[in-house]
Amino acid sequence: MTDDALSRIADALDRLAPPPAPPADLRAHPAYVWRGHSLAAARAFAPLPLAMLRGVDAQREALVANLDRLAAGRAAQDVLLWGARGTGKSALVKSAVADIQARGGDLALVEAVTLHLETLPELFATLAAADRPFVIFLDDLGFDAAGDARALRSLLEGGAEARPANTRLIVTSNRRHLVPRDIAEQASAINPRDAVDDSLALADRFGLSLGFHVVDQDTYLDIVRGYAEAHGLAFDPAEAVGWATRRGSRSGRVAWQYVVDLAGRSGKSL
């Protein structure tokens, strides 16, 4: 096929492609989604009320205080929320932002739904021009090797093109240090301490690090009770414990899944 034919095909495909969506108004919405090169308003942003998140009181207090400072234009930290799966890390981030908005704070959430972190400088440049503070949310982040994390390290601190003053990153991860500890690499390194430091360097960039741990049975039942009462449901504690036992985990996520099942059996929607 000739170059001319290929050019005509490319032109035809361009004509068939939908026009790019107009950029979202950065003053008009409570939450946005970044998909790599475009920023769109979130279709629905309705997190759980902050008071419904049980068993994370200390983490909630620390995160809200930090985000209150950001919303007020004061110095605030980038935040890492790490720990056991299903313990409310992501829910807390969204609920904390919504709580500040409900109290009149001008703070917006931007969830970066992308595997290509090299596009974040483009997002930073877009947000830097807006007269508004933003939380950039990277959910369930993890890297296979320390080298993969270096780009994000430079954006947080030490790079020539760091994130602007009106933005802070909030990252959730099941790994405390985001990067797995490679024992073989440490053993083969000339200086094993250098390999350890490289794997920990990203987590050290976050000024606020909040740990989330597996909850005990009483806390789990308290979480179930909070969800059930909010939706007018009666529950059997023994049944709720049995549900968690079959799932092999006690967490806020498992508690919510039990309440969803309970509501369905009771003929209600959530």
Side-chain angles (χ1 to χ4, degrees):
M1 186 175 292
T2 66
D3 291 343
D4 183 59
L6 289 173
S7 178
R8 290 199 303 273
I9 292 172
D11 290 342
L13 291 174
D14 286 340
R15 289 193 296 272
L16 291 172
D25 184 345
L26 293 177
R27 299 289 310 174
H29 304 284
Y32 301 83
V33 178
W34 175 255
R35 301 191 186 280
H37 294 287
S38 64
L39 186 66
R43 289 191 298 271
F45 183 62
L48 290 171
L50 199 56
M52 285 187 66
L53 301 181
R54 310 287 181 91
V56 291
D57 295 351
Q59 298 94 325
R60 178 176 60 216
E61 181 179 345
L63 180 62
V64 170
N66 186 63
L67 294 184
D68 272 331
R69 291 193 289 270
L70 176 60
R74 293 184 281 142
Q77 304 281 8
D78 298 297
V79 187
L80 172 63
L81 291 78
W82 59 271
R85 67 189 190 278
T87 48
K89 300 182 291 294
S90 301
L92 179 59
V93 173
K94 297 173 184 178
S95 295
V97 172
D99 179 73
I100 291 169
Q101 293 170 348
R103 291 188 278 110
D106 187 20
L107 179 67
L109 179 83
V110 178
E111 185 167 6
V113 186
T114 177
L115 298 176
H116 304 292
L117 297 183
E118 68 273 11
T119 68
L120 288 182
E122 183 181 343
L123 173 60
F124 289 152
T126 300
L127 299 180
D131 183 21
R132 187 184 192 188
F134 294 90
V135 166
I136 299 175
F137 180 37
L138 300 174
D139 192 23
D140 197 20
L141 187 65
F143 299 95
D144 294 328
D148 298 335
R150 291 187 183 116
L152 184 56
R153 278 162 43 183
S154 67
L155 291 174
L156 283 163
E157 181 184 323
E161 200 172 29
R163 49 115 180 92
N166 67 327
T167 67
R168 288 296 180 272
L169 274 86
I170 296 187
V171 171
T172 66
S173 176
N174 293 337
R175 300 170 180 167
R176 182 173 186 175
H177 301 299
L178 293 163
V179 179
R181 302 285 290 273
D182 190 331
I183 303 301
E185 180 183 358
Q186 294 176 29
S188 64
I190 296 175
N191 184 347
R193 182 64 200 178
D194 290 344
V196 173
D197 287 344
D198 197 37
S199 68
L200 303 184
L202 176 56
D204 287 346
R205 294 293 202 277
F206 294 90
L208 181 59
S209 179
L210 303 174
F212 290 70
H213 308 286
V214 175
V215 300
D216 59 26
Q217 182 166 297
D218 289 342
T219 302
Y220 166 73
L221 288 174
D222 187 45
I223 296 170
V224 172
R225 185 174 298 105
Y227 287 150
E229 289 176 353
H231 295 284
L233 296 167
F235 79 99
D236 177 3
E239 182 185 63
V241 170
W243 176 276
T245 300
R246 291 190 298 275
R247 299 283 296 182
S249 173
R250 289 190 299 261
S251 70
R253 179 180 298 155
V254 171
W256 175 248
Q257 290 168 345
Y258 167 72
V259 170
V260 169
D261 185 75
L262 181 64
R265 288 186 281 116
S266 302
K268 293 187 176 183
S269 61
L270 297 179

